[in-house]
Structure formats: C-alpha cells, structure tokens
C-alpha cells in the first residue's frame, strides 16, 4: 500500500494578495510558481504567467451540493517557442 499524507495549504484570501501587492508597480508581470508536488517547492517548481482572473463556477459532478463560484487566477506557460504536444 502506498504511503499517504495530509496536505493542507494555507490558501490566501483576496486581502492577503492585495496586501502583498501594495508596493508592486502596476506594470509588473505576475509569475506563478506551481509546486512539483503537494507542498514541495524544495525540488523546484513549474513557472507560469498570470493571464486572467475571474469568478469561475466549480462543477460538482455528483450534483449533491450547490454549485460554488470561486475567484480564480488563470495561468499559462511563458511566451516562447514550444514543441507541439503529440498526446
């Protein structure tokens, strides 16, 4: 049986994000570092750029709870030349 662990990240609020950005100039590009695994930034991270933000409805495939709307930041790969994904 595989080992498991509980992952409980401290998810930021809009207020925390606003506070962190107070001294950042308006023209600053926002980069997003995504951990290689749950909570694992020590082995590196994937870097993306922020491209959009809006309230997004979260689908509940079980239809057992009311649909939730979360304010979501959307990230994409940085500008550059990439190989086509053959999958």
């Amino acid at each position: 049986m595989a080992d498991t662990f509980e992952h409980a990240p401290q998810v930021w609020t809009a207020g925390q994000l606003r506070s962190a950005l107070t001294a950042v100039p308006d023209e600053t590009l926002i980069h997003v570092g995504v951990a290689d695994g749950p909570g694992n930034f020590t082995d590196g991270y994937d870097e993306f750029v922020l491209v959009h933000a809006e309230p997004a409805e979260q689908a509940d495939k079980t239809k057992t709870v009311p649909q939730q709307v979360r304010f979501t930041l959307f990230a994409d790969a940085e500008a550059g030349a990439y190989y086509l994904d053959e999958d």
Side-chain angles (χ1 to χ4, degrees):
M1 178 184 265
D3 290 334
T4 63
F5 68 96
E6 288 296 318
H7 178 62
Q10 180 59 47
V11 180
W12 276 28
T13 65
Q16 287 172 296
L17 181 58
R18 245 183 246 108
S19 178
L21 294 174
T22 55
V24 178
D26 288 347
E27 62 278 357
T28 301
L29 301 177
I30 304 297
H31 292 258
V32 179
V34 178
D36 282 343
N40 183 4
F41 287 97
T42 57
D43 292 338
Y45 59 88
D46 294 323
E47 189 168 330
F48 297 92
V49 293
L50 183 63
V51 295
H52 190 66
E54 69 178 38
E57 294 179 351
Q58 304 299 304
D60 174 27
K61 295 176 181 150
T62 65
K63 307 275 190 232
T64 59
V65 295
Q67 193 166 26
Q68 295 181 345
V69 176
R70 297 180 184 164
F71 192 80
T72 304
L73 303 177
F74 294 91
D76 196 355
E78 293 187 74
Y82 294 90
Y83 290 103
L84 291 174
D85 188 1
E86 298 292 328
D87 290 342

